[in-house]
């Protein structure tokens, strides 16, 4: 079983739709969680951290479910510019060493 | 903002050549990483370094070596490039704790 798993997609949604991605992690000792966005042929960039109580940044909402060991990303009112691959990242422990594990990414395609 | 600079964006090399990929960060971070990213496989950790002259193998170190002589610079070396090392190589820097990982723009290597 992979340490961090994501549905690769693609998720094809119309503009204005609401879309949600999940990411499951296998290690219950995981401590911090992030969503990164990666545009085609570019480097991943931080989209948002995921806090225990859930957090929102504009149209984006991130949630953490420790009991079921998954994080989620909800995008409301999808824009064409949201088309990208979304990577979840899990930090097993806060040492900064080889603790960051990436999912393979979920591809989102927003269509006009 | 943290800046991570990869000096070579695109390289084309021949099988058997020695290849150097350079990465420099400007924020005095202890931790630096080299990943490769391939379609369908996501980001895979090659090597990381948590201090000058310190290095640890990641998940796929075979065929690679690294050098960290100065804190700001982390080099990835392909001693004898092979076609299966054709990939996108991403360097990243990380201060530790719950802070985020910052990537360079990537180096796309083609080995003929």
């Amino acid at each position: 079983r992979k340490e961090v798993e994501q549905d690769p997609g693609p998720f094809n949604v119309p503009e204005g739709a609401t879309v949600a991605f999940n990411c499951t992690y296998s290690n219950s000792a995981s401590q911090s969680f992030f969503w990164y966005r990666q545009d085609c042929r570019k480097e991943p960039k931080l989209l948002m951290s995921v806090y225990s109580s859930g957090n929102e940044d504009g149209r984006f909402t991130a949630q953490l479910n420790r009991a079921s060991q998954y994080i989620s990303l909800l995008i409301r009112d999808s824009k064409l510019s949201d088309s990208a691959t979304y990577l979840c990242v899990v930090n097993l422990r806060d040492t900064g060493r080889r603790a960051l594990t990436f999912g393979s990414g979920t591809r989102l395609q927003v269509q006009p | 903002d943290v800046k991570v600079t990869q000096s070579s964006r695109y390289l084309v090399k021949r099988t058997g050549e020695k290849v150097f990929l350079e990465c420099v960060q400007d924020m005095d971070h202890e931790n630096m990483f080299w990943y490769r990213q391939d379609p369908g496989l996501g980001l895979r950790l090659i090597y990381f370094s948590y201090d000058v002259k310190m290095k640890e193998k990641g998940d796929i170190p075979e065929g690679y070596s690294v050098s960290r002589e100065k804190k700001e610079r982390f080099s990835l070396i392909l001693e004898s490039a092979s076609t299966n090392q054709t990939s996108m190589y991403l360097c990243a820097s990380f201060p530790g704790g719950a802070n985020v990982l910052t990537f360079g723009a990537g180096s796309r290597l083609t080995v003929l």
Side-chain angles (χ1 to χ4, degrees), chain A:
Chain A
R1 184 185 172 187
K2 287 185 182 177
E3 288 188 53
V4 179
E5 291 202 67
Q6 295 183 252
D7 181 341
F11 284 58
N12 294 303
V13 303
E15 269 186 292
T18 295
V19 62
F21 313 131
N22 281 347
C23 167
T24 58
Y25 59 95
S26 60
N27 193 319
S28 59
S30 301
Q31 294 194 0
S32 50
F33 308 87
F34 307 92
W35 283 104
Y36 276 69
R37 172 197 168 120
Q38 186 173 24
D39 294 298
C40 189
R41 304 181 82 83
K42 296 285 182 76
E43 75 273 24
K45 291 186 178 176
L46 178 69
L47 178 66
M48 59 197 301
S49 302
V50 185
Y51 302 125
S52 296
S53 55
N55 49 299
E56 192 173 301
D57 182 2
R59 298 181 292 108
F60 298 83
T61 301
Q63 298 274 359
L64 167 63
N65 185 317
R66 284 196 185 273
S68 301
Q69 295 184 202
Y70 72 87
I71 63 172
S72 64
L73 177 68
L74 180 81
I75 305 174
R76 289 182 299 279
D77 188 22
S78 300
K79 312 288 184 195
L80 293 175
S81 57
D82 294 333
S83 298
T85 296
Y86 292 84
L87 304 168
C88 75
V89 184
V90 174
N91 191 353
L92 285 175
R93 58 191 184 278
D94 293 333
T95 64
R97 297 198 179 181
R98 66 170 300 180
L100 291 164
T101 304
F102 284 79
S104 298
T106 298
R107 194 154 70 87
L108 171 66
Q109 185 66 48
V110 181
Q111 295 163 338

Side-chain angles (χ1 to χ4, degrees), chain B residues 23-49:
Chain B
C23 175
V24 177
Q25 51 98 358
D26 65 358
M27 281 299 289
D28 203 38
H29 289 172
E30 287 83 17
N31 305 284
M32 296 186 75
F33 302 76
W34 274 106
Y35 292 89
R36 65 177 282 178
Q37 187 175 33
D38 301 286
L41 297 176
L43 278 154
R44 293 181 291 167
L45 182 64
I46 304 171
Y47 267 97
F48 69 101
S49 168

Side-chain angles (χ1 to χ4, degrees), chain B residues 38-95:
Chain B
D38 301 286
L41 297 176
L43 278 154
R44 293 181 291 167
L45 182 64
I46 304 171
Y47 267 97
F48 69 101
S49 168
Y50 52 89
D51 204 349
V52 175
K53 297 191 187 294
M54 306 300 283
K55 60 185 179 185
E56 283 194 28
K57 293 179 180 179
D59 300 315
I60 51 163
E62 297 79 19
Y64 303 95
S65 62
V66 290
S67 171
R68 189 138 181 230
E69 296 297 318
K70 294 184 178 181
K71 196 172 188 179
E72 66 270 19
R73 188 179 298 269
F74 191 35
S75 303
L76 180 70
I77 303 148
L78 288 67
E79 293 289 340
S80 177
S82 62
T83 54
N84 63 11
Q85 292 178 309
T86 292
S87 187
M88 167 73 106
Y89 290 88
L90 287 157
C91 174
S93 170
F94 181 62

